[in-house]
Amino acid sequence: LSVAAKGGSVNPLNELYTTKGMAEALEGTSLSFDKAGMLGQLYQSLILYPKGLSQIAKTILSPVTHVRNFVSAGAFATANGIIPNADAIKTAYQALQTPLKGTRQQNELYEELLKLGVVNSNVRLGDLTRLLEDVNFGETMTSDKGLRLLLKPLSKLKSVSQDLYTAEDDFWKIASWAMEKTRLEKALADKGVVRGMTVKRNGIDTVIDEQFFKQEAADIVKNNIPNYDYVSDFVKSLRKLPIGNFVSFPAEIVRTGTNIVRRGLREINETFELADGTIIKPFEGIGHTRLFGFGATVAAVPYATQKAFQAIYDVTDEEREAIRRYVADWSKNSTLLPIKNKDGSFQYVDFSHANAYDTLIRPVQTIINAVADGRTDEDGLMDDFIAGTFASMSEFAQPFISESIWTEAVADLVARGGRTRDGFQVFNPEDMAGDKAYKIMAHLVKAQMPFSFQQLQRLDRSIESVDVITKGKFDKYGQTFEFGDEFAGLFGFRAVNINPQRSLNFKIADYQRGVRQSRQLFTREALRGGPVEPRDIVDAYINANRALFDVRRDFKKDIDAARVLNISESDFAVATDRLSNIEINTIDNNIFRPINISRDIRLAFARNAAAIGEANPLETADEVIANIKSQMANISLSEPNFPFIENPLLPSAQETPVTPNTLNLPSIDSNLISNTVNTGNFNNLTTAQKLEILFNQN
């Protein structure tokens, strides 16, 4: 609206949220500068500032995130076919700019790499730093001087943590730069090209000297390892919206992943011409190594690690897929490392947490999972492949379109009525006002809580003799935690317990919701009040049962998975006590029970028909529905898909003949047809002769 009112080009992402930008955007409109400034300040205070604070809390103020940041960044080197040697590691550590002992010993090298654009370009930190600059963190949140003084220590802590966060990224970039430089020099030396020589590269004379190796290695690192300087302005501007968390990182993973493949292919095929006219391919070996490293890091290592865990812990493919049905929603399309304990219980490690390139393989995994959960017929598989493709697009888009950490917490309270996106209740609407206010504040504070607080709570509970953060070894759900699992979680390898009984409770709630929604496809025809055709009632009945079939078939898979995960019969009975024995037994035996039309629904049809003075359409549809229901009684939940059931009340093709479209053919000579038919010889002619006669072809 502001752009239209002004008649010019105003970038709302870059300008509108600021006081100046708001005023400029509203110039010439009925809104005053004061109102514009107020809206800009309100947006900063309620959206941008809390968003930046929550992202600080979950990244640079979290020791757990620091560890994961360092471990996962190692994949950037291996994806380029590099395993740093001792010299590269030593050089990288000594060049770091941190207060740690042994660093800052090669400051000149760091300054040079800074000029080359190799270091100080952490992508997540780039998003966060720009966002904090947008809101002048610690300076202009409020005009209250006392509050600014309280924020001052936090700013100092932020500065130290930020240096460490940068160093974790710089370490691998410096090490990669050193290794790239070394192997470039070795590859040329193996072909007889040493420093001081001049070669033709792409038809241009190129001097092979120290600067050549430094610049070439720097170009590789800048283009093949995530770098905030190369993020597009559009993606950067998304930081100012209430959606998205560190959106530049997945964008950079896609860019650098593509560049690694492009660079590898270029190295394999690139030729140099020596002074004597000899043509060489000095980087061919590096190209093959780079492509192999990329393939191994992105696909082979996760797959091989998963299979290794299955072999070590004797987990079958069926058990692994059963685990997938009982993991958290955000892990369903992750690379899962399954663990079977001696007592028959199961755990899993979400390998994707520590895999920087998960952004690239998650869409593929999403499609595989969608197909694996689908049908075996060809048409069904194609439907699932298409559905999986759209699901994978959604997975990829999540960092860009999902709510930010802070916005999600607020939406839980406002838009979702006190429930999280995963269905957990923040507060009960019937709570006392004081209890409700306490739970609301606790939920908002949790979104801003630094240090990965929940993980530290679990770590505390896992050490019985330590009660610093929490008291006792049980959480509010009665769960206990192992120190080894929680310590491994610091590196992104936490083993999560699978609790099929507890998870089955949530799946039953989802099942009951699905049954209600399926029935509504039919009942809304009865309750809409207007004229209803009998054929529409039959159509609605078939569609409702088709949806119900999918819901019950999916729940059957959940039941089977729970048994594969060794749920006890007593736990199974407790978890399913909300369902009738008939419902459980029929689903358990793959029997599909179609929808029964209740007495209340029949009365609703009769009342609605009487109200508008028409005959009850259900009386006409009833016999047809009874026949269809008897057909459905033979459907098994093991069928690959719901069978096609024809609605006999719909007009048939014979009753409504279709007029074919006019074809673009030459006109027919009717006189020739008449003469030919009269001779009685038309049927004895060849096809070519008939065409010649009909269309007068010469």
Side-chain angles (χ1 to χ4, degrees):
L1 290 176
S2 64
V3 172
K6 186 178 178 181
S9 58
V10 178
N11 185 343
L13 297 181
N14 289 330
E15 303 292 342
L16 193 56
Y17 77 99
T18 65
T19 302
K20 179 183 176 183
M22 188 74 72
E24 290 179 352
L26 297 175
E27 182 182 342
T29 69
S30 59
L31 291 180
S32 67
F33 174 84
D34 290 339
K35 290 181 180 179
M38 182 182 67
L39 290 174
Q41 290 295 332
L42 194 63
Y43 187 77
Q44 284 193 63
S45 299
L46 297 183
I47 302 296
L48 292 186
Y49 200 97
K51 179 181 180 181
L53 193 60
S54 63
Q55 291 184 347
I56 290 175
K58 306 304 180 185
T59 52
I60 63 177
L61 295 184
S62 170
V64 175
T65 307
H66 279 276
V67 175
R68 289 181 181 173
N69 181 47
F70 180 76
V71 172
S72 63
F76 301 142
T78 59
N80 281 280
I82 292 174
I83 299 178
N85 57 28
D87 290 338
I89 291 173
K90 182 179 178 181
T91 299
Y93 184 77
Q94 290 179 344
L96 295 179
Q97 302 297 294
T98 73
L100 297 176
K101 185 178 180 180
T103 61
R104 297 184 185 271
Q105 293 186 17
Q106 295 200 40
N107 293 337
E108 291 183 5
L109 174 61
Y110 190 86
E111 288 294 330
E112 185 174 14
L113 294 177
L114 193 61
K115 292 177 182 178
L116 289 170
V118 172
V119 295
N120 198 20
S121 55
N122 186 290
V123 176
R124 287 194 184 98
L125 194 57
D127 270 338
L128 181 54
T129 302
R130 292 292 182 87
L131 180 57
L132 297 180
E133 291 173 356
D134 293 337
V135 296
N136 295 322
F137 178 82
E139 296 176 10
T140 60
M141 177 186 178
T142 174
S143 59
D144 182 10
K145 184 177 180 181
L147 184 55
R148 291 205 307 272
L149 292 175
L150 288 174
L151 288 171
K152 193 172 182 180
L154 182 59
S155 295
K156 291 180 179 179
L157 177 61
K158 177 186 74 72
S159 178
V160 174
S161 298
Q162 184 172 313
D163 289 342
L164 291 174
Y165 204 83
T166 301
E168 293 148 15
D169 187 64
D170 284 348
F171 174 85
W172 292 107
K173 287 181 176 177
I174 297 171
S176 296
W177 176 84
M179 291 295 295
E180 293 285 6
K181 179 173 174 291
T182 298
R183 67 178 180 178
L184 287 171
E185 188 168 359
K186 183 178 184 302
L188 283 170
D190 289 344
K191 297 294 184 179
V193 180
V194 296
R195 293 171 189 256
M197 292 181 63
T198 299
V199 299
K200 282 192 180 294
R201 187 184 194 187
N202 300 322
I204 301 173
D205 287 338
T206 304
V207 178
I208 305 302
D209 55 12
E210 180 68 10
Q211 189 58 33
F212 169 83
F213 293 117
K214 288 180 178 180
Q215 187 64 56
E216 191 72 13
D219 288 343
I220 294 172
V221 172
K222 287 189 296 185
N223 288 292
N224 291 12
I225 296 179
N227 189 312
Y228 190 71
D229 293 337
Y230 287 82
V231 178
S232 70
D233 290 338
F234 172 76
V235 173
K236 287 179 180 178
S237 68
L238 294 179
R239 72 182 184 275
K240 300 173 184 177
L241 295 180
I243 59 173
N245 290 303
F246 306 107
V247 295
S248 296
F249 185 74
E252 272 300 273
I253 287 295
V254 174
R255 182 187 73 87
T256 57
T258 304
N259 284 346
I260 289 173
V261 175
R262 181 184 290 117
R263 175 79 193 194
L265 294 174
R266 172 186 159 187
E267 288 169 332
I268 291 171
N269 296 292
E270 186 177 27
T271 59
F272 281 31
E273 183 180 347
L274 303 183
D276 61 0
T278 303
I279 303 297
I280 61 173
K281 291 184 177 181
F283 302 146
E284 187 175 9
I286 296 176
H288 285 294
T289 303
R290 195 181 305 280
L291 293 180
F292 176 81
F294 183 72
T297 302
V298 173
V301 169
Y303 178 79
T305 306
Q306 184 183 77
K307 289 301 181 183
F309 266 68
Q310 284 188 244
I312 293 170
Y313 293 100
D314 193 26
V315 177
T316 65
D317 288 343
E318 182 185 19
E319 289 170 334
R320 185 197 68 218
E321 291 309 308
I323 289 173
R324 188 178 297 282
R325 295 193 73 86
Y326 279 85
V327 301
D329 286 342
W330 55 82
S331 293
K332 287 189 181 299
N333 295 312
S334 297
T335 300
L336 302 180
L337 309 181
I339 300 171
K340 184 194 291 184
N341 298 315
K342 293 181 180 179
D343 61 358
S345 62
F346 290 86
Q347 295 177 298
Y348 71 93
V349 175
D350 190 335
F351 185 73
S352 295
H353 281 176
N355 183 7
Y357 286 98
D358 181 65
T359 300
L360 295 181
I361 62 174
R362 183 171 285 259
V364 177
Q365 187 64 55
T366 303
I367 293 175
I368 292 172
N369 293 340
V371 174
D373 288 340
R375 299 175 284 273
T376 54
D377 62 294
E378 184 175 340
D379 291 338
L381 283 173
M382 282 307 301
D383 291 342
D384 288 334
F385 178 80
I386 294 170
T389 302
F390 282 108
S392 69
M393 291 167 62
S394 174
E395 286 273 351
F396 178 78
Q398 279 304 306
F400 301 92
I401 63 175
S402 62
E403 299 152 337
S404 67
I405 299 169
W406 169 253
T407 310
E408 180 180 353
V410 174
D412 292 340
L413 304 174
V414 180
R416 287 184 279 271
R419 285 188 177 273
T420 67
R421 283 191 301 177
D422 301 318
F424 293 101
Q425 194 172 57
V426 178
F427 62 85
N428 191 316
E430 303 305 320
D431 275 338
M432 297 290 290
D435 292 339
K436 190 183 295 185
Y438 172 79
K439 292 176 181 177
I440 288 173
M441 289 302 300
H443 187 65
L444 294 176
V445 169
K446 182 180 175 182
Q448 306 285 11
M449 186 67 69
F451 308 126
S452 300
F453 192 68
Q454 286 182 311
Q455 187 152 12
L456 293 181
Q457 280 184 317
R458 294 192 299 265
L459 188 63
D460 188 359
R461 290 189 188 280
S462 70
I463 309 173
E464 292 189 37
S465 59
V466 177
D467 288 315
V468 176
I469 303 175
T470 59
K471 302 294 182 183
K473 65 178 182 178
F474 296 99
D475 69 359
K476 62 181 179 180
Y477 300 110
Q479 299 178 109
T480 59
F481 305 95
E482 295 292 331
F483 174 76
D485 294 341
E486 300 310 317
F487 182 75
L490 298 177
F491 302 90
F493 297 105
R494 176 174 175 259
V496 181
N497 293 320
I498 293 290
N499 187 334
Q501 179 191 359
R502 182 165 172 262
S503 299
L504 191 56
N505 285 318
F506 294 105
K507 291 189 176 295
I508 289 173
D510 290 339
Y511 166 72
Q512 291 176 318
R513 188 183 306 112
V515 170
R516 288 195 301 271
Q517 292 172 346
S518 299
R519 293 181 185 277
Q520 287 169 3
L521 293 175
F522 176 74
T523 57
R524 70 185 180 189
E525 288 294 328
L527 303 176
R528 73 183 188 183
V532 181
E533 292 289 335
R535 65 186 181 186
D536 293 333
I537 297 174
V538 175
D539 251 356
Y541 185 76
I542 295 172
N543 288 334
N545 279 282
R546 182 182 292 109
L548 183 62
F549 173 85
D550 291 336
V551 170
R552 286 188 167 147
R553 188 184 64 161
D554 196 57
F555 185 57
K556 166 64 173 171
K557 293 179 181 179
D558 290 332
I559 291 175
D560 292 343
R563 292 205 169 103
V564 169
L565 298 174
N566 297 324
I567 189 173
S568 67
E569 287 302 318
S570 60
D571 287 343
F572 182 82
V574 170
T576 58
D577 62 356
R578 286 176 286 170
L579 303 177
S580 68
N581 289 334
I582 293 176
E583 192 158 19
I584 287 295
N585 290 334
T586 52
I587 292 175
D588 228 357
N589 290 286
N590 281 319
I591 298 172
F592 174 66
R593 289 191 308 127
I595 294 172
N596 286 318
I597 303 177
S598 68
R599 183 173 179 273
D600 290 339
I601 296 300
R602 292 180 179 278
L603 288 174
F605 271 112
R607 282 195 300 267
N608 291 339
I612 60 176
E614 293 192 359
N616 185 351
L618 184 59
E619 293 179 357
T620 304
D622 220 356
E623 184 178 352
V624 175
I625 288 176
N627 290 333
I628 291 174
K629 184 178 178 182
S630 65
Q631 294 179 49
M632 292 179 181
N634 298 318
I635 299 175
S636 170
L637 294 177
S638 62
E639 293 291 328
N641 56 356
F642 189 77
F644 172 76
I645 296 178
E646 186 176 2
N647 181 353
L649 297 184
L650 290 176
S652 65
Q654 287 76 16
E655 295 171 350
T656 56
V658 179
T659 303
N661 294 328
T662 304
L663 299 178
N664 186 24
L665 296 175
S667 59
I668 299 174
D669 191 329
S670 58
N671 293 327
L672 285 175
I673 294 176
S674 177
N675 293 336
T676 306
V677 172
N678 289 336
T679 63
N681 296 324
F682 186 75
N683 290 333
N684 296 325
L685 299 176
T686 65
T687 300
Q689 291 171 326
K690 292 176 183 178
L691 290 173
E692 184 176 356
I693 293 172
L694 287 172
F695 301 114
N696 195 22
Q697 294 178 347
N698 296 322

